[in-house]
Amino acid sequence: ERRAEPESPDGMSGRNGDAAVLGRVTQGRFATDDKVEVISNEPGFSDAWATATVISAGKDGCFVEYSKFVDANGKNLRERVSHDRMRHVPLFPASFNVCAGLRVEGYLSDCWWPGEVVEQHLKKGLRLAFDDGDSAWLSRRHVRPQLRCAPKRAPGSGLWTVTSLPSAAEPPPPVSPPPHLPVRLPLGISAAEGADALGRVLGRIQ
């Protein structure tokens, strides 16, 4: 079940019966109280990133509490997830150039979904084509650049692998030289006479 307007995370107060937390517990790449996003493995939410907070961090995974998903009793869902299904909430520029075909993530149904920009409209915002086949118009503030590809789960196993985004450092394709533009000579001057006159001018410059 999804909550339409969830409350903001309340920090670490009250978790596991503790009224206060002294310091941060760091194990591996993630730490207690980190704000993270977890890729979903639920049907219908494939490749979607949901926001969560790390309750406890371990070497092989973390116990997280989702910020916008609740159980039947209205309590925030908690789950133990492996590190390869997690990422810290990515930082991205407040404004960025948008063009058709740009890989982005769009915020819809309480998750960030990967896709690409199809078109943009002054009032409607950006129309995205999501990787799962759906499309939607989203306001600009609900779209961000895709900074990490979603990991894919290998068929028949619980292993997740990450495919990196194309490197920005790849050399650009070679650029062919511009074609020679035709030269218009004054009326009555032949090409040979024009070349001879140009040669004399260049000789005086040198």
Side-chain angles (χ1 to χ4, degrees), residues 39 44-49 87 101-106 108 112-118 127-136 138 146 148-152 163 165:
I39 190 170
F45 282 82
S46 177
D47 291 351
W49 293 94
R87 68 181 181 188
L102 179 69
R103 293 291 301 174
V104 295
E105 293 176 355
L108 188 67
W112 289 95
W113 302 78
E116 65 180 43
V117 176
V118 176
R127 186 166 74 90
L128 305 187
F130 296 106
D131 291 353
D132 62 1
D134 291 339
S135 65
L138 298 177
Q146 184 177 6
R148 173 189 165 186
C149 288
K152 303 293 185 181
T163 303
L165 290 172

PDB file of all heavy atoms in Angstrom, residues 39 44-49 87 101-106 108 112-118 127-136 138 146 148-152 163 165:
ATOM      1  N   ILE A  39      16.265   0.221  -5.166  1.00  0.00           N
ATOM      2  CA  ILE A  39      15.566  -0.224  -6.360  1.00  0.00           C
ATOM      3  C   ILE A  39      14.589  -1.334  -5.991  1.00  0.00           C
ATOM      4  O   ILE A  39      14.904  -2.230  -5.205  1.00  0.00           O
ATOM      5  CB  ILE A  39      16.550  -0.693  -7.451  1.00  0.00           C
ATOM      6  CG1 ILE A  39      15.808  -0.918  -8.767  1.00  0.00           C
ATOM      7  CG2 ILE A  39      17.314  -1.931  -7.024  1.00  0.00           C
ATOM      8  CD1 ILE A  39      16.722  -1.134  -9.946  1.00  0.00           C
ATOM      9  N   GLY A  44       5.590  -4.699 -11.161  1.00  0.00           N
ATOM     10  CA  GLY A  44       5.034  -3.405 -11.506  1.00  0.00           C
ATOM     11  C   GLY A  44       5.887  -2.227 -11.095  1.00  0.00           C
ATOM     12  O   GLY A  44       5.592  -1.086 -11.462  1.00  0.00           O
ATOM     13  N   PHE A  45       6.932  -2.459 -10.322  1.00  0.00           N
ATOM     14  CA  PHE A  45       7.817  -1.383  -9.891  1.00  0.00           C
ATOM     15  C   PHE A  45       9.254  -1.661 -10.288  1.00  0.00           C
ATOM     16  O   PHE A  45      10.187  -1.149  -9.679  1.00  0.00           O
ATOM     17  CB  PHE A  45       7.725  -1.197  -8.365  1.00  0.00           C
ATOM     18  CG  PHE A  45       6.502  -0.441  -7.919  1.00  0.00           C
ATOM     19  CD1 PHE A  45       5.288  -1.083  -7.789  1.00  0.00           C
ATOM     20  CD2 PHE A  45       6.563   0.915  -7.647  1.00  0.00           C
ATOM     21  CE1 PHE A  45       4.149  -0.396  -7.386  1.00  0.00           C
ATOM     22  CE2 PHE A  45       5.441   1.610  -7.246  1.00  0.00           C
ATOM     23  CZ  PHE A  45       4.223   0.956  -7.113  1.00  0.00           C
ATOM     24  N   SER A  46       9.458  -2.480 -11.312  1.00  0.00           N
ATOM     25  CA  SER A  46      10.805  -2.825 -11.748  1.00  0.00           C
ATOM     26  C   SER A  46      11.574  -1.573 -12.174  1.00  0.00           C
ATOM     27  O   SER A  46      11.035  -0.724 -12.874  1.00  0.00           O
ATOM     28  CB  SER A  46      10.742  -3.820 -12.904  1.00  0.00           C
ATOM     29  OG  SER A  46      12.016  -4.119 -13.398  1.00  0.00           O
ATOM     30  N   ASP A  47      12.799  -1.471 -11.729  1.00  0.00           N
ATOM     31  CA  ASP A  47      13.706  -0.361 -12.043  1.00  0.00           C
ATOM     32  C   ASP A  47      13.338   0.931 -11.339  1.00  0.00           C
ATOM     33  O   ASP A  47      13.967   1.967 -11.581  1.00  0.00           O
ATOM     34  CB  ASP A  47      13.787  -0.093 -13.549  1.00  0.00           C
ATOM     35  CG  ASP A  47      14.482  -1.210 -14.307  1.00  0.00           C
ATOM     36  OD1 ASP A  47      15.041  -2.109 -13.645  1.00  0.00           O
ATOM     37  OD2 ASP A  47      14.470  -1.190 -15.548  1.00  0.00           O
ATOM     38  N   ALA A  48      12.347   0.936 -10.464  1.00  0.00           N
ATOM     39  CA  ALA A  48      11.935   2.149  -9.762  1.00  0.00           C
ATOM     40  C   ALA A  48      12.743   2.302  -8.473  1.00  0.00           C
ATOM     41  O   ALA A  48      12.965   1.340  -7.742  1.00  0.00           O
ATOM     42  CB  ALA A  48      10.443   2.099  -9.438  1.00  0.00           C
ATOM     43  N   TRP A  49      13.169   3.539  -8.209  1.00  0.00           N
ATOM     44  CA  TRP A  49      13.946   3.840  -7.002  1.00  0.00           C
ATOM     45  C   TRP A  49      13.029   4.490  -5.966  1.00  0.00           C
ATOM     46  O   TRP A  49      12.393   5.503  -6.244  1.00  0.00           O
ATOM     47  CB  TRP A  49      15.089   4.792  -7.326  1.00  0.00           C
ATOM     48  CG  TRP A  49      16.152   4.205  -8.212  1.00  0.00           C
ATOM     49  CD1 TRP A  49      16.234   4.292  -9.576  1.00  0.00           C
ATOM     50  CD2 TRP A  49      17.281   3.434  -7.801  1.00  0.00           C
ATOM     51  NE1 TRP A  49      17.344   3.632 -10.031  1.00  0.00           N
ATOM     52  CE2 TRP A  49      18.012   3.094  -8.965  1.00  0.00           C
ATOM     53  CE3 TRP A  49      17.761   2.993  -6.568  1.00  0.00           C
ATOM     54  CZ2 TRP A  49      19.190   2.345  -8.935  1.00  0.00           C
ATOM     55  CZ3 TRP A  49      18.929   2.250  -6.527  1.00  0.00           C
ATOM     56  CH2 TRP A  49      19.627   1.932  -7.699  1.00  0.00           C
ATOM     57  N   ARG A  87      21.545   3.063  -3.298  1.00  0.00           N
ATOM     58  CA  ARG A  87      22.415   4.185  -3.651  1.00  0.00           C
ATOM     59  C   ARG A  87      22.054   5.355  -2.740  1.00  0.00           C
ATOM     60  O   ARG A  87      20.909   5.470  -2.273  1.00  0.00           O
ATOM     61  CB  ARG A  87      22.233   4.593  -5.111  1.00  0.00           C
ATOM     62  CG  ARG A  87      20.879   5.208  -5.435  1.00  0.00           C
ATOM     63  CD  ARG A  87      20.769   5.569  -6.912  1.00  0.00           C
ATOM     64  NE  ARG A  87      19.480   6.176  -7.226  1.00  0.00           N
ATOM     65  CZ  ARG A  87      19.066   6.444  -8.460  1.00  0.00           C
ATOM     66  NH1 ARG A  87      19.835   6.141  -9.490  1.00  0.00           N
ATOM     67  NH2 ARG A  87      17.887   6.998  -8.686  1.00  0.00           N
ATOM     68  N   GLY A 101      15.672  12.643 -26.211  1.00  0.00           N
ATOM     69  CA  GLY A 101      16.577  11.513 -26.123  1.00  0.00           C
ATOM     70  C   GLY A 101      17.453  11.521 -24.893  1.00  0.00           C
ATOM     71  O   GLY A 101      18.169  10.538 -24.643  1.00  0.00           O
ATOM     72  N   LEU A 102      17.425  12.593 -24.090  1.00  0.00           N
ATOM     73  CA  LEU A 102      18.237  12.661 -22.882  1.00  0.00           C
ATOM     74  C   LEU A 102      17.766  11.637 -21.861  1.00  0.00           C
ATOM     75  O   LEU A 102      16.575  11.535 -21.574  1.00  0.00           O
ATOM     76  CB  LEU A 102      18.168  14.065 -22.283  1.00  0.00           C
ATOM     77  CG  LEU A 102      18.950  14.287 -20.981  1.00  0.00           C
ATOM     78  CD1 LEU A 102      20.449  14.219 -21.253  1.00  0.00           C
ATOM     79  CD2 LEU A 102      18.572  15.626 -20.360  1.00  0.00           C
ATOM     80  N   ARG A 103      18.695  10.863 -21.295  1.00  0.00           N
ATOM     81  CA  ARG A 103      18.365   9.887 -20.267  1.00  0.00           C
ATOM     82  C   ARG A 103      18.128  10.606 -18.940  1.00  0.00           C
ATOM     83  O   ARG A 103      18.961  11.392 -18.469  1.00  0.00           O
ATOM     84  CB  ARG A 103      19.489   8.871 -20.107  1.00  0.00           C
ATOM     85  CG  ARG A 103      19.685   7.960 -21.299  1.00  0.00           C
ATOM     86  CD  ARG A 103      18.530   6.994 -21.477  1.00  0.00           C
ATOM     87  NE  ARG A 103      18.349   6.145 -20.306  1.00  0.00           N
ATOM     88  CZ  ARG A 103      17.325   5.283 -20.160  1.00  0.00           C
ATOM     89  NH1 ARG A 103      16.395   5.197 -21.103  1.00  0.00           N
ATOM     90  NH2 ARG A 103      17.229   4.533 -19.094  1.00  0.00           N
ATOM     91  N   VAL A 104      16.965  10.368 -18.340  1.00  0.00           N
ATOM     92  CA  VAL A 104      16.580  11.038 -17.104  1.00  0.00           C
ATOM     93  C   VAL A 104      15.850  10.047 -16.200  1.00  0.00           C
ATOM     94  O   VAL A 104      15.640   8.885 -16.549  1.00  0.00           O
ATOM     95  CB  VAL A 104      15.664  12.253 -17.398  1.00  0.00           C
ATOM     96  CG1 VAL A 104      16.407  13.327 -18.169  1.00  0.00           C
ATOM     97  CG2 VAL A 104      14.415  11.806 -18.158  1.00  0.00           C
ATOM     98  N   GLU A 105      15.467  10.553 -15.028  1.00  0.00           N
ATOM     99  CA  GLU A 105      14.575   9.832 -14.125  1.00  0.00           C
ATOM    100  C   GLU A 105      13.418  10.755 -13.785  1.00  0.00           C
ATOM    101  O   GLU A 105      13.628  11.938 -13.523  1.00  0.00           O
ATOM    102  CB  GLU A 105      15.314   9.394 -12.854  1.00  0.00           C
ATOM    103  CG  GLU A 105      16.382   8.347 -13.108  1.00  0.00           C
ATOM    104  CD  GLU A 105      17.170   8.001 -11.859  1.00  0.00           C
ATOM    105  OE1 GLU A 105      16.937   8.650 -10.807  1.00  0.00           O
ATOM    106  OE2 GLU A 105      18.010   7.098 -11.919  1.00  0.00           O
ATOM    107  N   GLY A 106      12.204  10.208 -13.811  1.00  0.00           N
ATOM    108  CA  GLY A 106      11.012  10.983 -13.512  1.00  0.00           C
ATOM    109  C   GLY A 106      10.336  10.490 -12.249  1.00  0.00           C
ATOM    110  O   GLY A 106      10.259   9.283 -12.008  1.00  0.00           O
ATOM    111  N   LEU A 108       7.270   9.664 -10.137  1.00  0.00           N
ATOM    112  CA  LEU A 108       5.875   9.298 -10.365  1.00  0.00           C
ATOM    113  C   LEU A 108       5.524   8.149  -9.444  1.00  0.00           C
ATOM    114  O   LEU A 108       6.329   7.222  -9.265  1.00  0.00           O
ATOM    115  CB  LEU A 108       5.673   8.892 -11.829  1.00  0.00           C
ATOM    116  CG  LEU A 108       4.249   8.647 -12.318  1.00  0.00           C
ATOM    117  CD1 LEU A 108       3.454   9.957 -12.319  1.00  0.00           C
ATOM    118  CD2 LEU A 108       4.263   8.056 -13.721  1.00  0.00           C
ATOM    119  N   TRP A 112      11.252   7.115  -8.352  1.00  0.00           N
ATOM    120  CA  TRP A 112      11.977   7.661  -9.498  1.00  0.00           C
ATOM    121  C   TRP A 112      12.130   6.559 -10.534  1.00  0.00           C
ATOM    122  O   TRP A 112      12.675   5.497 -10.248  1.00  0.00           O
ATOM    123  CB  TRP A 112      13.346   8.180  -9.071  1.00  0.00           C
ATOM    124  CG  TRP A 112      13.286   9.423  -8.242  1.00  0.00           C
ATOM    125  CD1 TRP A 112      13.299   9.506  -6.886  1.00  0.00           C
ATOM    126  CD2 TRP A 112      13.201  10.770  -8.720  1.00  0.00           C
ATOM    127  NE1 TRP A 112      13.225  10.820  -6.476  1.00  0.00           N
ATOM    128  CE2 TRP A 112      13.168  11.617  -7.582  1.00  0.00           C
ATOM    129  CE3 TRP A 112      13.163  11.334  -9.999  1.00  0.00           C
ATOM    130  CZ2 TRP A 112      13.087  13.003  -7.699  1.00  0.00           C
ATOM    131  CZ3 TRP A 112      13.086  12.721 -10.102  1.00  0.00           C
ATOM    132  CH2 TRP A 112      13.050  13.539  -8.967  1.00  0.00           C
ATOM    133  N   TRP A 113      11.655   6.837 -11.774  1.00  0.00           N
ATOM    134  CA  TRP A 113      11.633   5.839 -12.836  1.00  0.00           C
ATOM    135  C   TRP A 113      12.581   6.262 -13.952  1.00  0.00           C
ATOM    136  O   TRP A 113      12.581   7.416 -14.374  1.00  0.00           O
ATOM    137  CB  TRP A 113      10.227   5.703 -13.417  1.00  0.00           C
ATOM    138  CG  TRP A 113       9.174   5.337 -12.427  1.00  0.00           C
ATOM    139  CD1 TRP A 113       8.567   6.168 -11.534  1.00  0.00           C
ATOM    140  CD2 TRP A 113       8.592   4.048 -12.215  1.00  0.00           C
ATOM    141  NE1 TRP A 113       7.643   5.485 -10.787  1.00  0.00           N
ATOM    142  CE2 TRP A 113       7.642   4.178 -11.185  1.00  0.00           C
ATOM    143  CE3 TRP A 113       8.776   2.807 -12.814  1.00  0.00           C
ATOM    144  CZ2 TRP A 113       6.881   3.114 -10.729  1.00  0.00           C
ATOM    145  CZ3 TRP A 113       8.019   1.733 -12.365  1.00  0.00           C
ATOM    146  CH2 TRP A 113       7.081   1.884 -11.341  1.00  0.00           C
ATOM    147  N   PRO A 114      13.382   5.339 -14.501  1.00  0.00           N
ATOM    148  CA  PRO A 114      14.282   5.684 -15.593  1.00  0.00           C
ATOM    149  C   PRO A 114      13.545   5.771 -16.926  1.00  0.00           C
ATOM    150  O   PRO A 114      12.584   5.049 -17.174  1.00  0.00           O
ATOM    151  CB  PRO A 114      15.294   4.524 -15.598  1.00  0.00           C
ATOM    152  CG  PRO A 114      14.507   3.352 -15.078  1.00  0.00           C
ATOM    153  CD  PRO A 114      13.547   3.924 -14.067  1.00  0.00           C
ATOM    154  N   GLY A 115      14.011   6.674 -17.785  1.00  0.00           N
ATOM    155  CA  GLY A 115      13.425   6.823 -19.110  1.00  0.00           C
ATOM    156  C   GLY A 115      14.183   7.878 -19.883  1.00  0.00           C
ATOM    157  O   GLY A 115      15.341   8.179 -19.572  1.00  0.00           O
ATOM    158  N   GLU A 116      13.546   8.443 -20.876  1.00  0.00           N
ATOM    159  CA  GLU A 116      14.186   9.483 -21.664  1.00  0.00           C
ATOM    160  C   GLU A 116      13.164  10.531 -22.071  1.00  0.00           C
ATOM    161  O   GLU A 116      11.958  10.276 -22.116  1.00  0.00           O
ATOM    162  CB  GLU A 116      14.883   8.915 -22.892  1.00  0.00           C
ATOM    163  CG  GLU A 116      13.956   8.289 -23.924  1.00  0.00           C
ATOM    164  CD  GLU A 116      14.733   7.749 -25.118  1.00  0.00           C
ATOM    165  OE1 GLU A 116      15.786   7.121 -24.917  1.00  0.00           O
ATOM    166  OE2 GLU A 116      14.271   7.967 -26.251  1.00  0.00           O
ATOM    167  N   VAL A 117      13.676  11.728 -22.339  1.00  0.00           N
ATOM    168  CA  VAL A 117      12.821  12.846 -22.730  1.00  0.00           C
ATOM    169  C   VAL A 117      12.353  12.647 -24.168  1.00  0.00           C
ATOM    170  O   VAL A 117      13.155  12.351 -25.057  1.00  0.00           O
ATOM    171  CB  VAL A 117      13.576  14.182 -22.599  1.00  0.00           C
ATOM    172  CG1 VAL A 117      12.713  15.342 -23.104  1.00  0.00           C
ATOM    173  CG2 VAL A 117      13.992  14.416 -21.152  1.00  0.00           C
ATOM    174  N   VAL A 118      11.045  12.810 -24.392  1.00  0.00           N
ATOM    175  CA  VAL A 118      10.473  12.709 -25.730  1.00  0.00           C
ATOM    176  C   VAL A 118      10.219  14.101 -26.306  1.00  0.00           C
ATOM    177  O   VAL A 118      10.550  14.383 -27.453  1.00  0.00           O
ATOM    178  CB  VAL A 118       9.171  11.891 -25.711  1.00  0.00           C
ATOM    179  CG1 VAL A 118       8.528  11.862 -27.096  1.00  0.00           C
ATOM    180  CG2 VAL A 118       9.435  10.482 -25.222  1.00  0.00           C
ATOM    181  N   ARG A 127       7.596  15.452 -21.444  1.00  0.00           N
ATOM    182  CA  ARG A 127       6.986  14.130 -21.637  1.00  0.00           C
ATOM    183  C   ARG A 127       8.102  13.100 -21.693  1.00  0.00           C
ATOM    184  O   ARG A 127       9.018  13.193 -22.509  1.00  0.00           O
ATOM    185  CB  ARG A 127       6.143  14.078 -22.910  1.00  0.00           C
ATOM    186  CG  ARG A 127       5.387  12.737 -23.053  1.00  0.00           C
ATOM    187  CD  ARG A 127       4.303  12.835 -24.112  1.00  0.00           C
ATOM    188  NE  ARG A 127       4.835  12.850 -25.451  1.00  0.00           N
ATOM    189  CZ  ARG A 127       5.049  11.759 -26.187  1.00  0.00           C
ATOM    190  NH1 ARG A 127       4.798  10.550 -25.674  1.00  0.00           N
ATOM    191  NH2 ARG A 127       5.516  11.855 -27.412  1.00  0.00           N
ATOM    192  N   LEU A 128       7.996  12.123 -20.799  1.00  0.00           N
ATOM    193  CA  LEU A 128       9.015  11.086 -20.691  1.00  0.00           C
ATOM    194  C   LEU A 128       8.475   9.760 -21.204  1.00  0.00           C
ATOM    195  O   LEU A 128       7.304   9.430 -20.983  1.00  0.00           O
ATOM    196  CB  LEU A 128       9.468  10.901 -19.236  1.00  0.00           C
ATOM    197  CG  LEU A 128       9.975  12.141 -18.487  1.00  0.00           C
ATOM    198  CD1 LEU A 128      10.527  11.730 -17.127  1.00  0.00           C
ATOM    199  CD2 LEU A 128      11.003  12.897 -19.291  1.00  0.00           C
ATOM    200  N   ALA A 129       9.330   9.006 -21.869  1.00  0.00           N
ATOM    201  CA  ALA A 129       9.041   7.626 -22.237  1.00  0.00           C
ATOM    202  C   ALA A 129       9.842   6.749 -21.285  1.00  0.00           C
ATOM    203  O   ALA A 129      11.079   6.724 -21.350  1.00  0.00           O
ATOM    204  CB  ALA A 129       9.428   7.360 -23.689  1.00  0.00           C
ATOM    205  N   PHE A 130       9.142   6.068 -20.386  1.00  0.00           N
ATOM    206  CA  PHE A 130       9.820   5.258 -19.379  1.00  0.00           C
ATOM    207  C   PHE A 130      10.257   3.921 -19.966  1.00  0.00           C
ATOM    208  O   PHE A 130       9.708   3.437 -20.965  1.00  0.00           O
ATOM    209  CB  PHE A 130       8.897   5.040 -18.181  1.00  0.00           C
ATOM    210  CG  PHE A 130       8.545   6.315 -17.453  1.00  0.00           C
ATOM    211  CD1 PHE A 130       7.282   6.873 -17.575  1.00  0.00           C
ATOM    212  CD2 PHE A 130       9.475   6.957 -16.665  1.00  0.00           C
ATOM    213  CE1 PHE A 130       6.952   8.045 -16.925  1.00  0.00           C
ATOM    214  CE2 PHE A 130       9.165   8.134 -16.006  1.00  0.00           C
ATOM    215  CZ  PHE A 130       7.905   8.684 -16.136  1.00  0.00           C
ATOM    216  N   ASP A 131      11.248   3.326 -19.318  1.00  0.00           N
ATOM    217  CA  ASP A 131      11.804   2.065 -19.816  1.00  0.00           C
ATOM    218  C   ASP A 131      10.793   0.921 -19.789  1.00  0.00           C
ATOM    219  O   ASP A 131      10.954  -0.058 -20.517  1.00  0.00           O
ATOM    220  CB  ASP A 131      13.038   1.670 -18.991  1.00  0.00           C
ATOM    221  CG  ASP A 131      14.215   2.614 -19.243  1.00  0.00           C
ATOM    222  OD1 ASP A 131      14.102   3.466 -20.145  1.00  0.00           O
ATOM    223  OD2 ASP A 131      15.228   2.490 -18.535  1.00  0.00           O
ATOM    224  N   ASP A 132       9.768   1.037 -18.938  1.00  0.00           N
ATOM    225  CA  ASP A 132       8.775  -0.041 -18.857  1.00  0.00           C
ATOM    226  C   ASP A 132       7.687   0.089 -19.927  1.00  0.00           C
ATOM    227  O   ASP A 132       6.748  -0.712 -19.961  1.00  0.00           O
ATOM    228  CB  ASP A 132       8.149  -0.095 -17.469  1.00  0.00           C
ATOM    229  CG  ASP A 132       7.387   1.172 -17.104  1.00  0.00           C
ATOM    230  OD1 ASP A 132       7.326   2.098 -17.948  1.00  0.00           O
ATOM    231  OD2 ASP A 132       6.854   1.240 -15.983  1.00  0.00           O
ATOM    232  N   GLY A 133       7.793   1.107 -20.784  1.00  0.00           N
ATOM    233  CA  GLY A 133       6.832   1.261 -21.873  1.00  0.00           C
ATOM    234  C   GLY A 133       5.804   2.347 -21.663  1.00  0.00           C
ATOM    235  O   GLY A 133       5.136   2.751 -22.624  1.00  0.00           O
ATOM    236  N   ASP A 134       5.631   2.836 -20.443  1.00  0.00           N
ATOM    237  CA  ASP A 134       4.670   3.903 -20.175  1.00  0.00           C
ATOM    238  C   ASP A 134       5.275   5.261 -20.522  1.00  0.00           C
ATOM    239  O   ASP A 134       6.484   5.397 -20.710  1.00  0.00           O
ATOM    240  CB  ASP A 134       4.252   3.891 -18.705  1.00  0.00           C
ATOM    241  CG  ASP A 134       3.410   2.681 -18.362  1.00  0.00           C
ATOM    242  OD1 ASP A 134       2.826   2.093 -19.291  1.00  0.00           O
ATOM    243  OD2 ASP A 134       3.346   2.312 -17.175  1.00  0.00           O
ATOM    244  N   SER A 135       4.410   6.258 -20.588  1.00  0.00           N
ATOM    245  CA  SER A 135       4.860   7.631 -20.805  1.00  0.00           C
ATOM    246  C   SER A 135       3.976   8.557 -19.987  1.00  0.00           C
ATOM    247  O   SER A 135       2.836   8.213 -19.647  1.00  0.00           O
ATOM    248  CB  SER A 135       4.813   8.012 -22.287  1.00  0.00           C
ATOM    249  OG  SER A 135       3.476   8.013 -22.756  1.00  0.00           O
ATOM    250  N   ALA A 136       4.505   9.745 -19.671  1.00  0.00           N
ATOM    251  CA  ALA A 136       3.736  10.690 -18.854  1.00  0.00           C
ATOM    252  C   ALA A 136       4.350  12.073 -18.999  1.00  0.00           C
ATOM    253  O   ALA A 136       5.548  12.219 -19.275  1.00  0.00           O
ATOM    254  CB  ALA A 136       3.736  10.264 -17.387  1.00  0.00           C
ATOM    255  N   LEU A 138       5.459  15.326 -17.002  1.00  0.00           N
ATOM    256  CA  LEU A 138       5.875  15.671 -15.649  1.00  0.00           C
ATOM    257  C   LEU A 138       6.391  17.100 -15.627  1.00  0.00           C
ATOM    258  O   LEU A 138       6.962  17.587 -16.612  1.00  0.00           O
ATOM    259  CB  LEU A 138       6.975  14.726 -15.147  1.00  0.00           C
ATOM    260  CG  LEU A 138       6.624  13.243 -15.026  1.00  0.00           C
ATOM    261  CD1 LEU A 138       7.854  12.451 -14.599  1.00  0.00           C
ATOM    262  CD2 LEU A 138       5.485  13.032 -14.039  1.00  0.00           C
ATOM    263  N   GLN A 146      19.738  11.199 -15.226  1.00  0.00           N
ATOM    264  CA  GLN A 146      20.026   9.847 -14.759  1.00  0.00           C
ATOM    265  C   GLN A 146      21.528   9.751 -14.503  1.00  0.00           C
ATOM    266  O   GLN A 146      22.336   9.818 -15.432  1.00  0.00           O
ATOM    267  CB  GLN A 146      19.600   8.792 -15.775  1.00  0.00           C
ATOM    268  CG  GLN A 146      19.809   7.368 -15.262  1.00  0.00           C
ATOM    269  CD  GLN A 146      19.325   6.325 -16.256  1.00  0.00           C
ATOM    270  OE1 GLN A 146      18.934   6.653 -17.365  1.00  0.00           O
ATOM    271  NE2 GLN A 146      19.356   5.068 -15.870  1.00  0.00           N
ATOM    272  N   ARG A 148      22.948   7.169 -12.554  1.00  0.00           N
ATOM    273  CA  ARG A 148      23.387   5.787 -12.394  1.00  0.00           C
ATOM    274  C   ARG A 148      22.336   4.875 -12.981  1.00  0.00           C
ATOM    275  O   ARG A 148      21.149   5.027 -12.722  1.00  0.00           O
ATOM    276  CB  ARG A 148      23.603   5.438 -10.918  1.00  0.00           C
ATOM    277  CG  ARG A 148      23.908   3.959 -10.700  1.00  0.00           C
ATOM    278  CD  ARG A 148      23.912   3.580  -9.232  1.00  0.00           C
ATOM    279  NE  ARG A 148      23.859   2.139  -9.063  1.00  0.00           N
ATOM    280  CZ  ARG A 148      23.729   1.512  -7.887  1.00  0.00           C
ATOM    281  NH1 ARG A 148      23.655   2.218  -6.783  1.00  0.00           N
ATOM    282  NH2 ARG A 148      23.666   0.205  -7.819  1.00  0.00           N
ATOM    283  N   CYS A 149      22.763   3.924 -13.799  1.00  0.00           N
ATOM    284  CA  CYS A 149      21.818   2.965 -14.362  1.00  0.00           C
ATOM    285  C   CYS A 149      21.287   2.050 -13.265  1.00  0.00           C
ATOM    286  O   CYS A 149      21.995   1.718 -12.307  1.00  0.00           O
ATOM    287  CB  CYS A 149      22.492   2.125 -15.449  1.00  0.00           C
ATOM    288  SG  CYS A 149      22.814   3.026 -16.971  1.00  0.00           S
ATOM    289  N   ALA A 150      20.047   1.636 -13.405  1.00  0.00           N
ATOM    290  CA  ALA A 150      19.465   0.706 -12.454  1.00  0.00           C
ATOM    291  C   ALA A 150      20.094  -0.670 -12.610  1.00  0.00           C
ATOM    292  O   ALA A 150      20.322  -1.135 -13.723  1.00  0.00           O
ATOM    293  CB  ALA A 150      17.954   0.607 -12.664  1.00  0.00           C
ATOM    294  N   PRO A 151      20.426  -1.337 -11.499  1.00  0.00           N
ATOM    295  CA  PRO A 151      20.963  -2.696 -11.624  1.00  0.00           C
ATOM    296  C   PRO A 151      19.917  -3.660 -12.133  1.00  0.00           C
ATOM    297  O   PRO A 151      18.717  -3.468 -11.920  1.00  0.00           O
ATOM    298  CB  PRO A 151      21.380  -3.037 -10.182  1.00  0.00           C
ATOM    299  CG  PRO A 151      20.538  -2.161  -9.317  1.00  0.00           C
ATOM    300  CD  PRO A 151      20.308  -0.900 -10.100  1.00  0.00           C
ATOM    301  N   LYS A 152      20.360  -4.678 -12.823  1.00  0.00           N
ATOM    302  CA  LYS A 152      19.474  -5.690 -13.359  1.00  0.00           C
ATOM    303  C   LYS A 152      19.680  -6.998 -12.604  1.00  0.00           C
ATOM    304  O   LYS A 152      20.812  -7.398 -12.331  1.00  0.00           O
ATOM    305  CB  LYS A 152      19.741  -5.909 -14.849  1.00  0.00           C
ATOM    306  CG  LYS A 152      19.620  -4.648 -15.696  1.00  0.00           C
ATOM    307  CD  LYS A 152      18.200  -4.132 -15.746  1.00  0.00           C
ATOM    308  CE  LYS A 152      18.082  -2.936 -16.692  1.00  0.00           C
ATOM    309  NZ  LYS A 152      16.711  -2.408 -16.739  1.00  0.00           N
ATOM    310  N   THR A 163      25.029  -1.827 -14.977  1.00  0.00           N
ATOM    311  CA  THR A 163      25.621  -1.411 -16.243  1.00  0.00           C
ATOM    312  C   THR A 163      25.876   0.082 -16.188  1.00  0.00           C
ATOM    313  O   THR A 163      24.956   0.857 -15.939  1.00  0.00           O
ATOM    314  CB  THR A 163      24.685  -1.734 -17.426  1.00  0.00           C
ATOM    315  OG1 THR A 163      24.400  -3.130 -17.417  1.00  0.00           O
ATOM    316  CG2 THR A 163      25.334  -1.346 -18.743  1.00  0.00           C
ATOM    317  N   LEU A 165      26.723   3.979 -17.153  1.00  0.00           N
ATOM    318  CA  LEU A 165      26.287   4.894 -18.194  1.00  0.00           C
ATOM    319  C   LEU A 165      27.425   5.135 -19.178  1.00  0.00           C
ATOM    320  O   LEU A 165      28.592   4.966 -18.842  1.00  0.00           O
ATOM    321  CB  LEU A 165      25.877   6.239 -17.572  1.00  0.00           C
ATOM    322  CG  LEU A 165      24.584   6.224 -16.745  1.00  0.00           C
ATOM    323  CD1 LEU A 165      24.434   7.555 -16.038  1.00  0.00           C
ATOM    324  CD2 LEU A 165      23.381   5.971 -17.632  1.00  0.00           C
TER     325      LEU A 165
END
